Amino acid sequence: MSLTHPQGFRATGITAGLKVSGKPDLALVVNDGPSDTAAAVFTRNKVKAAPVLWSQQVLAAGSLRAVVLNSGGANACTGPEGFQTAHATAEKAAEVLGFGAIDVALCSTGLIGAQLPRDVLLAGVEKAAGSLESTPEAGLAAATAIMTTDTVAKQALAEREGWSVGGITKGAGMIAPSMATMLSVLTTDAEATSETLEAALRAAVRVSFDRLDVDGSMSTNDTVIVLASGASGITPTEQELAAAFTEVAKDLAKQMQADAEGVTKRVTVRVTGAASEEDAVTVARTVARDSLVKTALFGSDPNWGRVAAAAGYADAELDPEKLDVTINGVLLCSGGVAAGDRSLADLSGEDILVEVALGLGGGEAEILTTDLSHAYVEENSAYSS
Amino acid sequence: MSLTHPQGFRATGITAGLKVSGKPDLALVVNDGPSDTAAAVFTRNKVKAAPVLWSQQVLAAGSLRAVVLNSGGANACTGPEGFQTAHATAEKAAEVLGFGAIDVALCSTGLIGAQLPRDVLLAGVEKAAGSLESTPEAGLAAATAIMTTDTVAKQALAEREGWSVGGITKGAGMIAPSMATMLSVLTTDAEATSETLEAALRAAVRVSFDRLDVDGSMSTNDTVIVLASGASGITPTEQELAAAFTEVAKDLAKQMQADAEGVTKRVTVRVTGAASEEDAVTVARTVARDSLVKTALFGSDPNWGRVAAAAGYADAELDPEKLDVTINGVLLCSGGVAAGDRSLADLSGEDILVEVALGLGGGEAEILTTDLSHAYVEENSAYSS
């Protein structure tokens, strides 16, 4: 129950033949209207994949009728040939669906630097267009076709009085601020202008996908797109839309955290008492990203000294004499000095909460991350070979 | 041949009993003059260990007669009690050596958050003072006593006409900008004011220790101290001093890179053609720190796409269409697009050179780093337990 729950959408996921494994690798999402407003948030990486460059152009108009997504190749660092492949993909989708190429956005994920086989891709688009459905299974098929090292398909839904928001995502590593190597499509049958959609989407992404940080990397392909069909006939406020987008995006972010590459611990870093929300995010992100903290948590070691050291080098206001660190509910560092018995902090479970209280102001933030495990090293040292 | 090669210095390394293992854990370096000028560079972490707070105070005078260094405990996050332990250590050294506590700097390394056993430490200082020598063995003993997860003692020497610079260091993980968890003492028999020493030391650190980045962390204890005895009677220029300090510090940095925790590959990231030297450092550091790059190199995988993606999210000027990536001499990405056959890049050896050419200007920099291996995860997940 995701993309196709809101009225006015069809989806599919098929095997085009881009993946050597023969698993599904091409998804198509179509907005049947009556409205076709859309908005998107893209990677801030200066090295942008061809589908990102394409989608940024077509989104300038604030409307979309379809999104083609593929796994099995990122189409990044592929130069003019890669951009032509992207353009041809949109043209093919427009041709078989009966609208213009400017109505089609693109998302790709996989290895950077290899050209996508254009014929295989275009044949896949044609095949996908013939299998579009508005069933729950069709949404799941789309979510499945964009998986790379993901082990489970990721879908979410927020229901409101008479309208709803559905969403799918992929991403299991290389996830970081700005949603690195994360693709996500949200659909809603609410009525909204593209300006309202974009404002609501940015507000949602800022407190959901942007607060998930697995390894600090940022990809060439990150994209979150929202399509609005208006089929419910209901026009929520920007705040109502943002709240629904946030609900779906937070749910999807949690699913990505749980499925991140090599994860054995789901870690939440919560910072309170910061001088500002921005400082809270900075401290939480620095702790979440610190390799020594992440390896300690993998070892179920409540090594609060590493948390304190990481907080101390974050680019934020901090008074070491006011610093408290609590791990899984046990206060281990109070006023910058050892407090409780570290053996009381039980980190043997899969969920770890690291709380850092700065005692300076009202700024708060949470970052979701994972431990740094042998499996992470294993999976990422063998990805392209 | 290190600390005690320049005239006017004695050193020692002994077992005080701070380490459970019974290995050497306390070093003492004494400047017998005739001069006693000194300078230091400390961690920029806001959470500073007690010995750092102490040493910053005494260094304000620009002179030192001795440095006491201990492994087996960082004396960080230890509050007033920890600071009193530091103060007592300096007082004890001053008492047994016959000068003032203000002449004694301190360095500590080990677990954060535990108090050092004061009696054990003070007895160790007394014992060390009785075993000071100016032999090469004494310098090696000092280098050995400050080891933590280091597997080899680290010494270096730069000889000049009539004067020299010696140095020791420790650090094998948690090494990052600002020399995280790195302690180093340099000695020279050159004559120099403390102002000249400090300027020369900062210039050397900036292009040596600050260009070594193993895991992006920054410790609470980092310290580099230089002591000048003036015993050679020679007064080099600031540039001559800086060059000699740089020679020693680069040698020590290379040794730390080779001995970094869990290293299987020694990686040099060289950036050329940047808009500025600062941009070159930023891009090199971002690539060097990227977990996906580091795991790929561990897997001997010339995954240049990850290098391009990391360069693209660095906070520096970059034109994706001018980006070249060369790994171990094989051009793999030219103008932002796949170039050569990636199978030609042989990464099976221990040394890997990643070259990133930005094609924008004359800025150049190198960062030394390592791969991210199973051994890194193993060593750091079990450190404090």
Side-chain angles (χ1 to χ4, degrees):
Chain A
M1 297 298 273
S2 62
L3 287 183
T4 49
H5 185 84
Q7 300 170 62
F9 294 96
R10 288 177 296 155
T12 187
I14 60 134
T15 297
L18 300 167
K19 281 179 178 166
V20 179
S21 65
K23 290 186 178 173
D25 50 20
L26 194 136
L28 180 58
V29 183
V30 174
N31 179 0
D32 288 319
S35 295
D36 63 356
T37 53
V41 176
F42 298 100
T43 181
R44 291 192 299 269
N45 199 308
K46 286 176 278 292
V47 178
K48 289 176 174 42
V52 170
L53 295 171
W54 172 265
S55 298
Q56 283 184 320
Q57 286 186 17
V58 300
L59 252 304
S63 62
L64 280 181
R65 296 291 301 274
V67 184
V68 179
L69 307 95
N70 76 274
S71 52
N75 197 3
C77 296
T78 48
E81 186 183 340
F83 191 81
Q84 285 160 20
T85 298
H87 187 180
T89 306
E91 290 283 2
K92 171 59 76 175
E95 173 198 329
V96 295
L97 293 166
F99 34 76
I102 198 175
D103 296 315
V104 182
L106 305 171
C107 300
S108 299
T109 179
L111 185 66
I112 295 170
Q115 298 289 342
L116 287 172
R118 199 178 298 174
D119 294 348
V120 174
L121 185 58
L122 299 189
V125 171
E126 195 152 356
K127 179 178 168 188
S131 66
L132 287 162
E133 291 183 16
S134 58
T135 60
E137 291 73 21
L140 176 60
T144 303
I146 58 174
M147 290 165 59
T148 53
T149 53
D150 305 66
T151 64
V152 292
K154 300 173 183 75
Q155 306 184 84
L157 179 66
E159 294 198 81
R160 296 293 186 267
E161 198 72 46
W163 61 283
S164 63
V165 175
I168 62 171
T169 196
K170 65 80 48 178
M174 212 169 163
I175 292 169
S178 305
M179 324 156 298
T181 304
M182 200 207 80
L183 304 181
S184 179
V185 176
L186 306 187
T187 55
T188 181
D189 47 11
E191 179 78 54
T193 65
S194 61
E195 291 75 17
T196 301
L197 281 181
E198 178 162 347
L201 183 64
R202 288 197 180 276
V205 166
R206 196 179 73 82
V207 296
S208 57
F209 297 133
D210 273 355
R211 301 269 168 104
L212 171 67
D213 193 322
V214 170
D215 55 21
S217 298
M218 185 195 289
S219 108
T220 49
N221 289 61
D222 311 322
T223 305
V224 180
I225 295 177
V226 60
L227 307 172
S229 71
S232 70
I234 295 173
T235 307
T237 65
E238 182 183 313
Q239 287 66 34
E240 288 169 336
L241 263 184
F245 290 170
T246 300
E247 182 180 330
V248 169
K250 279 194 172 178
D251 187 340
L252 293 173
K254 282 262 183 204
Q255 293 180 47
M256 285 193 286
Q257 179 195 28
D259 196 28
E261 286 173 358
V263 65
T264 76
K265 307 282 188 184
R266 292 181 296 257
V267 181
T268 301
V269 180
R270 178 182 297 158
V271 173
T272 58
S276 66
E277 183 189 355
E278 191 185 346
D279 268 13
V281 171
T282 299
V283 172
R285 203 185 286 294
T286 305
V287 172
R289 211 179 264 190
D290 187 87
S291 293
L292 292 167
V293 170
K294 293 165 90 83
T295 46
L297 298 180
F298 168 61
S300 299
D301 175 11
N303 196 327
W304 63 267
R306 291 182 179 179
V307 175
Y313 73 79
D315 186 17
E317 198 179 323
L318 184 142
D319 178 347
E321 295 183 4
K322 290 181 177 170
L323 179 66
D324 292 353
V325 179
T326 302
I327 302 183
N328 277 6
V330 180
L331 180 70
L332 297 172
C333 170
S334 176
V337 183
D341 177 354
R342 70 164 68 204
S343 70
L344 294 177
D346 179 8
L347 274 61
S348 60
E350 287 187 357
D351 289 288
I352 297 177
L353 174 61
V354 176
E355 294 174 277
V356 178
L358 299 175
L360 297 173
E364 295 189 8
E366 275 186 13
I367 294 284
L368 305 181
T369 189
T370 63
D371 58 347
L372 175 53
S373 67
H374 285 301
Y376 178 91
V377 173
E378 192 62 33
E379 191 152 356
N380 285 299
S381 59
Y383 181 74
S384 83
S385 51
Chain B
M1 298 299 273
S2 63
L3 287 183
T4 49
H5 186 83
Q7 300 171 64
F9 294 96
R10 287 176 297 155
T12 187
I14 59 134
T15 297
L18 301 167
K19 281 180 177 166
V20 179
S21 65
K23 290 185 176 172
D25 49 19
L26 194 137
L28 180 58
V29 183
V30 174
N31 179 357
D32 288 319
S35 295
D36 63 355
T37 53
V41 175
F42 298 100
T43 181
R44 291 192 298 269
N45 199 308
K46 286 177 278 294
V47 178
K48 289 176 175 40
V52 170
L53 296 171
W54 172 265
S55 298
Q56 284 184 320
Q57 286 186 17
V58 300
L59 252 304
S63 62
L64 280 181
R65 296 290 301 274
V67 184
V68 180
L69 308 96
N70 75 274
S71 51
N75 197 3
C77 297
T78 47
E81 186 183 339
F83 191 79
Q84 285 161 18
T85 297
H87 187 179
T89 306
E91 289 283 1
K92 171 58 76 174
E95 173 198 328
V96 295
L97 293 166
F99 34 77
I102 198 176
D103 297 315
V104 182
L106 305 172
C107 300
S108 299
T109 179
L111 184 66
I112 296 171
Q115 298 290 341
L116 287 173
R118 200 177 298 174
D119 293 347
V120 174
L121 184 56
L122 299 189
V125 170
E126 195 152 354
K127 179 177 168 188
S131 66
L132 288 162
E133 291 183 15
S134 57
T135 60
E137 291 74 22
L140 176 61
T144 303
I146 58 175
M147 290 164 61
T148 53
T149 54
D150 305 65
T151 65
V152 292
K154 300 174 183 75
Q155 306 184 84
L157 179 66
E159 294 197 80
R160 296 295 186 267
E161 198 73 45
W163 62 283
S164 63
V165 175
I168 62 171
T169 195
K170 67 79 48 178
M174 213 170 162
I175 292 169
S178 306
M179 324 156 297
T181 303
M182 201 207 80
L183 304 181
S184 180
V185 176
L186 306 187
T187 55
T188 181
D189 47 11
E191 179 78 53
T193 65
S194 60
E195 291 75 19
T196 302
L197 281 181
E198 179 160 349
L201 183 64
R202 288 198 179 276
V205 166
R206 196 178 72 83
V207 295
S208 57
F209 297 133
D210 273 354
R211 301 267 168 105
L212 172 66
D213 193 324
V214 170
D215 55 21
S217 298
M218 185 196 290
S219 107
T220 49
N221 289 61
D222 311 321
T223 305
V224 181
I225 295 177
V226 59
L227 307 172
S229 71
S232 70
I234 295 173
T235 307
T237 65
E238 183 183 314
Q239 286 67 34
E240 288 169 336
L241 262 184
F245 291 170
T246 301
E247 183 180 331
V248 169
K250 280 195 169 177
D251 187 340
L252 293 173
K254 282 263 181 201
Q255 293 180 49
M256 286 194 285
Q257 178 194 28
D259 196 29
E261 286 173 358
V263 65
T264 77
K265 307 281 188 185
R266 292 180 295 256
V267 181
T268 300
V269 180
R270 178 182 299 158
V271 173
T272 57
S276 66
E277 184 189 355
E278 190 185 347
D279 267 13
V281 171
T282 299
V283 172
R285 202 184 287 294
T286 305
V287 171
R289 212 179 263 189
D290 186 88
S291 293
L292 291 168
V293 170
K294 293 164 91 84
T295 46
L297 298 181
F298 168 62
S300 299
D301 175 12
N303 196 327
W304 63 266
R306 292 182 179 181
V307 175
Y313 74 79
D315 185 18
E317 198 179 324
L318 183 141
D319 178 347
E321 296 184 5
K322 290 182 178 169
L323 179 67
D324 292 353
V325 179
T326 302
I327 302 183
N328 278 4
V330 180
L331 180 70
L332 297 172
C333 171
S334 176
V337 183
D341 176 355
R342 71 164 69 203
S343 70
L344 295 176
D346 179 8
L347 275 60
S348 60
E350 286 186 358
D351 289 288
I352 297 177
L353 174 61
V354 177
E355 294 175 277
V356 178
L358 299 175
L360 298 173
E364 296 189 6
E366 276 187 12
I367 293 284
L368 305 181
T369 188
T370 64
D371 58 347
L372 175 54
S373 67
H374 285 302
Y376 177 90
V377 173
E378 192 62 33
E379 191 153 356
N380 285 298
S381 59
Y383 182 76
S384 84
S385 50

